Amino acid sequence: MKIQYKGSVSPEALETESTKLVSEEQVTSSEASIKTQKDRFYLPVLNINHNHEWPSKPLEDRKHFTDEVATETCLGNCCGVEGLKGACCHLDPYDTEHVLGPLKGSDKDEWIRDILAWFRKRGLNLTRADVVIDYEEGKIIGETLFKDAPNNGIFQEPSAYPMLRFQVIGPRYACKFMNPVTYKCGIYAMRPNMCRTYLCNYVLTNFLVKTKSKPNTWQKVR
Ligand code: SF4
Ligand code: SF4
């Protein structure tokens, strides 16, 4: 998952960070509207890639980030915000903090081939464009849907593609494969490696994790 930056999650910090990333002229006119949308959909803007904003929890206070803990956290206490689900699978049109790509390595061609075959077996004859966004289209998406995000330059970078296609959820977007009611991944067993190996800064600074380089060891990474 290509991330530009991530950050802290206290409500006060979120408020500060989200407004800071909007231009000065926009703040006055859109602050109230953004706050209303945040309240309504309960999805604060999270800067999940701002390393410096996530304090490292002492070793003795950390739990193992097991599948069970991951489910509890990601589907109900994402980034330490009660009720928040799956922020890293969402995109925010006011703050393009991360995009759902690039798919690279085996994700790039093999995963796309395999997921299309997986859908075909279930009677859905999808094409590549149904599951990913490529550069030419993504450039236009960046200039249109994300035109109000001060940090939308990521869409102009060929290296950010292919990225997972997304859907509209409330005032934001989320991966096309996220169930919009349960917020669970609809292709969990088939999700790309990008998603399997992704650990946000909240997870890295609060839990003991297994990484790709040390898959058998619970460790404090940050
Ligand atoms: S990995 Fe981090 S950002 Fe993603 S759902 Fe879990 S807690 Fe939230
Ligand atoms: S494939 Fe699943 S885990 Fe990956 S971004 Fe989409 S919903 Fe999230």
Side-chain angles (χ1 to χ4, degrees):
M1 207 163 291
K2 182 138 185 168
I3 306 295
Q4 291 177 298
Y5 35 67
K6 308 188 178 196
S8 74
V9 278
S10 70
E12 296 78 14
L14 290 168
E15 195 64 28
T16 306
E17 192 58 30
S18 62
T19 50
K20 195 170 68 184
L21 292 167
V22 177
S23 74
E24 287 215 358
E25 307 82 74
Q26 288 172 301
V27 168
T28 317
S29 62
S30 64
E31 192 173 4
S33 142
I34 291 172
K35 186 170 184 334
T36 306
Q37 288 167 340
K38 277 199 284 183
D39 290 347
R40 181 172 168 203
F41 292 96
Y42 199 61
L43 182 64
V45 173
L46 296 167
N47 295 302
I48 52 182
N49 294 317
H50 273 177
N51 290 6
H52 61 280
E53 291 186 19
W54 294 90
S56 176
K57 206 171 187 177
L59 186 61
E60 60 276 16
D61 294 342
R62 293 182 178 223
K63 282 202 232 174
H64 293 76
F65 198 62
T66 59
D67 287 348
E68 193 181 32
V69 171
T71 302
E72 278 168 18
T73 305
C74 297
L75 290 177
N77 194 35
C78 169
C79 292
V81 181
E82 196 181 340
L84 185 64
K85 301 171 184 179
C88 57
C89 303
H90 283 81
L91 299 173
D92 196 308
Y94 304 106
D95 174 15
T96 317
E97 199 242 4
H98 64 278
V99 291
L100 304 175
L103 294 171
K104 54 188 179 185
S106 61
D107 275 352
K108 196 169 175 180
D109 296 317
E110 290 164 40
W111 179 80
I112 294 172
R113 179 198 64 203
D114 292 348
I115 196 70
L116 293 179
W118 188 83
F119 277 114
R120 227 171 5 255
K121 274 190 197 155
R122 285 154 183 79
L124 289 170
N125 207 13
L126 304 187
T127 65
R128 176 187 174 97
D130 290 314
V131 296
V132 296
I133 296 166
D134 286 308
Y135 177 56
E136 290 304 322
E137 181 189 0
K139 267 197 310 183
I140 298 169
I141 288 175
E143 288 159 5
T144 51
L145 301 182
F146 290 82
K147 66 177 172 17
D148 294 329
N151 42 2
N152 64 1
I154 189 72
F155 285 98
Q156 307 308 319
E157 289 180 23
S159 60
Y161 299 89
M163 55 178 76
L164 296 175
R165 189 161 288 285
F166 47 83
Q167 59 181 316
V168 174
I169 294 194
R172 294 183 170 82
Y173 306 101
C175 172
K176 168 176 184 162
F177 303 111
M178 172 184 261
N179 182 311
V181 177
T182 64
Y183 289 81
K184 288 182 180 173
C185 176
I187 55 164
Y188 189 74
M190 287 294 292
R191 68 199 189 286
N193 287 323
M194 172 184 77
C195 304
R196 289 175 197 273
T197 55
Y198 178 70
L199 297 167
C200 72
N201 273 294
Y202 172 72
V203 171
L204 289 176
T205 52
N206 281 272
F207 296 94
L208 296 173
V209 298
K210 291 181 177 180
T211 60
K212 206 174 169 185
S213 58
K214 292 192 179 170
N216 300 316
T217 312
W218 292 105
Q219 56 175 323
K220 177 178 183 286
V221 176
R222 284 197 51 220

